[in-house]
Amino acid sequence: MRYLPAFMLSLLAVGCNHQNDFLTRYHEDGRAKPEVAITSMIDTSSFELPWSLSEEFTSTILKQVASSGKLYVVATEDDVFTENPFGQDLSWIKREYADHEFVAFLELVEHEIAPASKYKKDPASQQFSMNLNMAIRLRIVDIRGQTPAIVLQEMVRDSYFIPKTLMPTDYSTAAWGTPEFQKSPMGIAHKQIVQEIASRIKEYVLLAKSR
């Protein structure tokens, strides 16, 4: 009998997981939500930080899309692409992601801190002001039919102005996951572009599902 409490706890955990999965997959009226698999972001930006930008953006975009309650979001961890997710051949996507309705591919193409020269009115006072320039490639593929179809392909760009009073920030201490990061220029900039990406995924998947 000494094993009974642990066994009951395990059953309870399984039951809760099934309940949470049901609540995530379906609306309150029982209708299934559109399902989208969000793949791990490819990072070709070459920007160095103490953490993985790919992991940060993938995680935060997943949470942002899921928080809307409109879609059933599936994470595909540690994607290793043998094919180009942004190439012309889509046939392999149907094969690799056959269990899903839609797949969102992401690539961090640009992430750089550059002088904010076009914002300078007084070169002396604005000498150290910078821009955080970001560009994320987004492709959403509908794989419900026999032939995969591109729902959206877009390069989402954003530029966040960082005044010289906030330069530089030590991101070894104000790292992703800390309260300091959330209030930092990079944290605020990342939040903005994540909201933009998440909004596009939600909007275009819902639109495609309605047709």
Side-chain angles (χ1 to χ4, degrees), residues 47-51 53 56-57 111-113 132 134 160 162 166 169 171 174 176 180-193:
F47 193 90
E48 294 187 4
L49 281 168
W51 65 92
L53 279 172
E56 178 200 340
F57 276 116
H111 189 283
E112 65 171 7
I113 296 177
L132 173 53
M134 297 170 289
Y160 186 81
I162 307 174
L166 297 179
T169 300
Y171 287 105
W176 171 47
E180 291 77 16
F181 178 74
Q182 295 179 4
K183 296 180 289 186
S184 71
M186 188 177 293
I188 296 170
H190 285 187
K191 183 178 180 180
Q192 287 184 181
I193 199 167

Side-chain angles (χ1 to χ4, degrees), residues 33 37 45 82 87 110 115-116 120 122 144 147-148 157 159 180 187 193 196 203 205:
K33 298 177 182 179
S45 69
T82 56
E110 181 183 13
K120 291 181 181 178
D122 181 352
R144 293 174 296 167
T147 304
R157 298 183 180 275
S159 184
E180 291 77 16
I193 199 167
E196 194 69 30
E203 177 184 354
V205 167

Side-chain angles (χ1 to χ4, degrees), residues 11-188:
L11 285 180
L12 180 61
V14 171
C16 288
N17 287 337
H18 282 303
Q19 183 181 24
N20 290 337
D21 186 56
F22 181 86
L23 292 174
T24 305
R25 278 182 178 269
Y26 300 94
H27 294 287
E28 291 183 357
D29 60 5
R31 291 178 299 113
K33 298 177 182 179
E35 181 188 337
V36 57
I38 299 180
T39 63
S40 300
M41 178 178 283
I42 302 168
D43 183 4
T44 55
S45 69
S46 302
F47 193 90
E48 294 187 4
L49 281 168
W51 65 92
S52 165
L53 279 172
S54 171
E55 183 180 348
E56 178 200 340
F57 276 116
T58 304
S59 172
T60 51
I61 289 170
L62 275 164
K63 291 178 182 177
Q64 187 71 27
V65 176
S67 68
S68 71
K70 302 292 186 182
L71 305 178
Y72 177 59
V73 183
V74 180
T76 59
E77 299 178 356
D78 301 324
D79 294 280
V80 179
F81 299 112
T82 56
E83 305 284 346
N84 179 8
F86 298 95
Q88 295 183 352
D89 180 16
L90 304 179
S91 60
W92 66 276
I93 299 176
K94 180 74 174 180
R95 182 177 64 253
E96 294 294 329
Y97 298 94
D99 295 334
H100 308 294
E101 292 185 308
F102 300 90
V103 186
F105 297 101
L106 302 158
E107 180 185 3
L108 183 61
V109 176
E110 181 183 13
H111 189 283
E112 65 171 7
I113 296 177
S117 56
K118 62 182 179 181
Y119 291 98
K120 291 181 181 178
K121 295 182 180 179
D122 181 352
S125 63
Q126 296 291 326
Q127 185 176 1
F128 300 105
S129 295
M130 308 289 277
N131 279 338
L132 173 53
N133 299 319
M134 297 170 289
I136 295 177
R137 193 192 314 274
L138 170 63
R139 171 182 272 188
I140 302 173
V141 181
D142 184 346
I143 53 175
R144 293 174 296 167
Q146 291 185 347
T147 304
I150 297 175
V151 173
L152 173 69
Q153 181 161 304
E154 185 180 5
M155 185 76 75
V156 181
R157 298 183 180 275
D158 197 6
S159 184
Y160 186 81
F161 178 68
I162 307 174
K164 67 175 184 177
T165 53
L166 297 179
M167 293 292 296
T169 300
D170 183 2
Y171 287 105
S172 63
T173 55
W176 171 47
T178 66
E180 291 77 16
F181 178 74
Q182 295 179 4
K183 296 180 289 186
S184 71
M186 188 177 293
I188 296 170

